Each structure stands twice: as C-alpha cells, then as structure tokens.
Amino acid sequence: MAILLVEDDVMLAQALTESLSDAGYVVDHASHCRTALQQLSRQIYEAVLLDLGLPDGDGCQLLQQIRERSHQLPVLAISARGAIDTRVAVLDSGADDYLAKPFSAQEMLLRLQSVLRRSQASGDRSLVVGRLRLHLQHGLLEQQGQRVRLTGRETELLALLMEKPGHILTRQEIHTRLYGALSMDSNVIDVLMHGLRRKLAPGTLSTVRGVGWSLPCP
C-alpha cells in the first residue's frame, strides 16, 4: 500500500518513513509542495500524510489542490499548529483527519489506518433523512437543492447522526465510534461538530446542552 509523506523536516520524515515501512507501507517522500504534486501526477497512492508548514507553500493550499484532483484520496494532516481555528480550517480544506505534533508513531499509524478503513468501507451507500441525502463514498451531502462536500470525519459524524434521527449522541459515543480507544484532545469533537454545523442548513442539528447532539426526526 503506497503512502505519500509530505514533510520537510528531514529527521521527522526519516522516523515516519521507518515507522510506516515497518508497518508494511511503501513510502514516497516529498519535502516541497511542487514535488508532492509531481509525484501525485505520476503515482497512485492510497493516502497522503501531509505536513502543513512547507518551504514553498502552505499545506492547506496543497490540500486544496489535492482535493481538486481527487475527493476520495485520504489525507491525514500533521502540524505543530494546534489552535482550534487552524484545525477547523484544515478540516474545511478537505483533510480527513488532523494530528497535532508531537505525536507517537503508534498514534499516527492508528489514525492512518482509520482514514484508510473509512475510505475502503464507504462503498456506494447513501443515507436519507428528510431532505438530507448523504453519499458516503464521495462525502457529498445534498440539502435544499444544493450539494456540499464534506471531509471524511464530517461524513462519518453526519452518518452517525443520520442512522438514528431523534437519538441524542453523547460526546463519548461519538468519540468511541470515530476514534475507538485513541486518547484525543478534549475539544476534538467540538471542532469536528463546529465544522459540520457550518456546512449544514441552519437548524439542522440540535444541541442538548451538557448531553450531546441530535438530528431531529423529519
């Protein structure tokens, strides 16, 4: 399984390449946006591990260019920028997940496996609740006559809500379904929910303060 690692820190790139190779992945490395785009045009990859701070451009801009080429290619963004606004911007740009530095090799591998599983298992299914239709494979939401592109995590989160309309999903339920046993920052669900809510029509999601969130029954 081929992975493109886009990282300009030589020592970190070497460490990540060794961890990925030990886990059975074939790794190509690019340290610049230009090189990454060249490699993406020549080679088919199963996923991209993308650093945001690159010498010849911003990783978010590169991410947008990747999304113009493919909406299905899983992208795991990595960065030392940990602010909530940054995370929201990265997810809005099309990243399937976000991993803040510093991180362990084990966590990186688990998060990568997670985005790969979602990509492989999404199939051609769609979910329908009222006027909402979610195409799982493409992360495409149809609502009120418009189409909205969702990230991988946003797609999975909305699918959880659409599977049980009227059911209140707690923060712990969402964490368990999306991240399993991984230990995450306490605000990661809030960041993800904030990004999803911005793409939905007003009033689509209900917040039950101190309990969780729900998609009202149509």
Side-chain angles (χ1 to χ4, degrees), residues 82-167:
I84 291 179
D85 288 348
T86 299
R87 297 187 182 205
V88 170
V90 173
L91 293 172
D92 276 348
S93 297
D96 293 283
D97 204 353
Y98 182 103
L99 188 56
K101 299 177 181 178
F103 53 82
S104 68
Q106 181 183 19
E107 181 178 8
M108 179 272 294
L109 290 170
L110 287 172
R111 299 281 279 275
L112 178 60
Q113 290 165 9
S114 177
V115 298
L116 285 168
R117 279 198 304 271
R118 291 202 308 275
S119 174
Q120 295 163 356
S122 60
D124 242 343
R125 294 192 305 124
S126 63
L127 295 173
V128 179
V129 174
R131 296 185 178 182
L132 297 180
R133 178 182 292 272
L134 176 61
H135 299 273
L136 297 173
Q137 181 180 19
H138 302 292
L140 187 66
L141 173 66
E142 296 182 34
Q143 61 175 347
Q144 300 181 348
Q146 297 182 335
R147 292 187 171 190
V148 181
R149 186 73 62 181
L150 304 182
T151 68
R153 285 293 188 198
E154 290 169 349
T155 299
E156 191 168 1
L157 174 57
L158 183 56
L160 293 179
L161 292 159
M162 292 179 71
E163 285 172 357
K164 295 182 178 180
H167 172 74

Side-chain angles (χ1 to χ4, degrees), residues 88 91 153-154 157-158 161 169-171 174 178 187-200 205-207 212-214:
V88 170
L91 293 172
R153 285 293 188 198
E154 290 169 349
L157 174 57
L158 183 56
L161 292 159
L169 276 176
T170 67
R171 185 184 303 274
I174 295 172
L178 297 188
N187 63 5
V188 68
I189 303 302
D190 296 293
V191 171
L192 185 58
M193 191 65 70
H194 175 73
L196 177 60
R197 191 185 293 275
R198 290 174 59 192
K199 297 181 180 180
L200 294 173
L205 285 181
S206 294
T207 300
W213 300 267
S214 72

